[in-house]
Amino acid sequence: MDTKQFSKPILGIETSCDETGVALLRWEPAAPGRGLLSHALYSQIKLHADYGGVVPELASRDHVRKLLPLVREALAEAGLTPQDLGGVAYTAGPGLVGALLVGAAAARAMAWALGVPAIGVHHMEGHLLAPLLEDDPPEPPFVALLVSGGHSMLVEVKGVGQYRILGDTLDDAAGEAFDKTAKMMGLPYPGGPALAALAQQGRPGVFRFSRPMTDRPGLDFSFSGLKTQVLLAWQQSDKSEQTRADIARGFEEAIVDTLAIKCRRALQASGARRLVIAGGVGANKRLREELAEAGAKEGFRVYFPRLEFCTDNGAMIALAGAIRLAHGQHQDETVQVFPRWDLESLPAAV
Ligand code: KG4
Ligand code: ZN
């Protein structure tokens, strides 16, 4: 294969859930963020809001409507045409099967028509590598806290594709706990950002909830009990606006403290001094502040992607795909997606 083509821009496509994300990135090993040529995002939030959560069939249909216009938009912004592309990367899983198929089919068709390779990217690897898009990117080895709507994981990262899961969620993911708790308290979808905004108005210490699974060794998470505690507190409360904000504050502090305790433990267990925070919940201000402060005090460095690259986006998929394509990895011309996909099963890119 002609490796020179990887100095050409890679198109990245993300359609695993309720965001259509597209980006163009030229692989620049020393400073990947500098290679980002353009990116465009369409969020389906309004489409799903009336239902209080993502409706998979509606999500798929909307990806069909929005994907190609977004690709055109990103190409125009970068001043490129499809013929300039050196490869196509798309999210192949985990995620909603129909939504994934939209991106995979479009990516495969484009790659085939252009005669360039295509590669299916693991969505969580995309999140995990997103901090590399920033200036002064983290060097492996590092520990990554991946906290999204579907996952809460601590991962030891020795290199691209060299992942060991140190801790995982036993029930609800962190984002899911935010979303479900917000819904219980009557907040609009998507609950995470709404609950975090409300928590800003809450007073500290009025409600104190437990920090689940921090009283015993181990790096796994469990947030469903915390959700029940909050539900009981809300049902038994006067349901005033101030109380709702106080409960939101107590809940957010419990989740953030729990995540921070486990991050410290994971750093100790792995011996790493660099911590990467990624995934939608990584956009949470209190989490970012608490971990940055802990790092400054305790001598570890914390890396976050900018807010728009914490939540789902095409840039992280273009980046992960560009790295793998540059290492000669790509897949056969079949449209295959993996709604469930073990992160540890990925090949190393060395
Ligand atoms: O990574 P992401 O965009 O999609 C998935 O791969 O799941 O993460 C979405 C999750 C949702 O659960 C959302 O409520 C949560 O991230 N989230 C937040 C915040 N922004 C997004 N949770 C807490 N605080 C935030 N500021
Ligand atoms: Zn995600």
Side-chain angles (χ1 to χ4, degrees):
M1 185 182 305
D2 176 12
T3 52
K4 263 199 235 105
Q5 66 188 322
F6 299 117
S7 58
K8 288 185 169 183
I10 304 300
L11 170 67
I13 292 178
E14 156 62 36
T15 64
S16 68
C17 190
D18 59 348
E19 252 113 27
T20 319
V22 165
L24 288 157
L25 179 132
R26 198 189 303 272
W27 176 225
E28 300 246 4
R34 246 184 269 149
L36 186 63
L37 305 172
S38 65
H39 62 102
L41 187 86
Y42 178 80
S43 170
Q44 302 179 351
I45 282 177
K46 282 204 198 92
L47 179 69
H48 302 291
D50 286 349
Y51 303 91
V54 179
V55 183
E57 179 61 24
L58 295 184
S60 311
R61 291 186 210 173
D62 212 39
H63 287 307
V64 171
R65 278 190 288 266
K66 299 294 174 357
L67 182 55
L68 291 183
L70 275 187
V71 171
R72 277 194 210 104
E73 188 184 316
L75 283 167
E77 196 190 318
L80 297 172
T81 68
Q83 283 67 32
D84 295 318
L85 297 177
V88 185
Y90 59 94
T91 305
L96 303 170
V97 65
L100 290 166
L101 279 168
V102 176
R108 283 276 153 210
M110 273 187 264
W112 182 76
L114 294 168
V116 298
I119 184 149
V121 170
H122 193 294
H123 181 80
M124 298 314 290
E125 175 170 76
H127 277 304
L128 191 154
L129 298 176
L132 302 187
L133 291 165
E134 306 306 329
D135 292 339
D136 193 13
E139 285 277 335
F142 56 78
V143 166
L145 173 69
L146 297 182
V147 270
S148 68
H151 295 86
S152 300
M153 275 195 273
L154 278 160
V155 185
E156 182 179 40
V157 179
K158 293 243 163 90
V160 175
Q162 295 173 283
Y163 308 132
R164 189 161 72 93
I165 296 176
L166 303 172
D168 208 339
T169 181
L170 303 181
D171 40 59
D172 291 348
E176 197 178 356
F178 263 99
D179 293 340
K180 287 183 178 169
T181 304
K183 198 170 177 180
M184 273 168 5
M185 294 202 294
L187 295 174
Y189 164 87
L195 195 147
L198 186 64
Q200 299 280 325
Q201 321 297 322
R203 294 164 297 180
V206 179
F207 285 87
R208 191 185 153 84
F209 302 110
S210 61
R211 277 59 176 150
M213 297 185 62
T214 54
D215 55 350
R216 63 191 104 151
L219 293 165
D220 288 332
F221 302 101
S222 164
F223 291 118
S224 73
L226 175 61
K227 197 181 60 194
T228 311
Q229 275 182 38
V230 174
L231 176 64
L232 288 176
W234 173 242
Q235 283 173 340
Q236 290 161 8
S237 77
D238 61 6
K239 298 203 171 63
S240 69
E241 269 311 298
Q242 186 58 52
T243 303
R244 190 155 77 153
D246 292 341
I247 292 178
R249 174 79 186 246
F251 168 80
E252 189 183 49
E253 281 179 354
I255 290 239
V256 166
D257 273 1
T258 306
L259 294 174
I261 291 167
K262 300 276 165 139
C263 283
R264 283 197 197 92
R265 272 189 206 168
L267 286 166
Q268 259 162 15
S270 72
R273 302 313 292 158
R274 285 182 282 269
L275 177 67
V276 156
I277 312 293
V281 182
N284 184 274
K285 197 162 166 257
R286 193 174 305 280
L287 179 68
R288 293 168 88 96
E289 283 170 5
E290 182 159 331
L291 282 168
E293 206 176 296
K297 264 195 214 135
E298 296 162 37
F300 59 88
R301 170 114 192 252
V302 191
Y303 297 81
F304 310 98
R306 74 196 79 161
L307 290 181
E308 63 185 327
F309 293 162
C310 272
T311 43
D312 291 349
N313 64 86
M316 66 185 195
I317 303 304
L319 172 66
I323 295 175
R324 291 193 172 276
L325 287 169
H327 285 84
Q329 299 179 9
H330 62 283
Q331 290 121 6
D332 298 340
E333 289 159 355
T334 54
V335 177
Q336 210 184 355
V337 296
F338 309 94
R340 292 175 169 275
W341 191 0
D342 177 8
L343 188 65
E344 286 182 341
S345 71
L346 298 182
V350 283

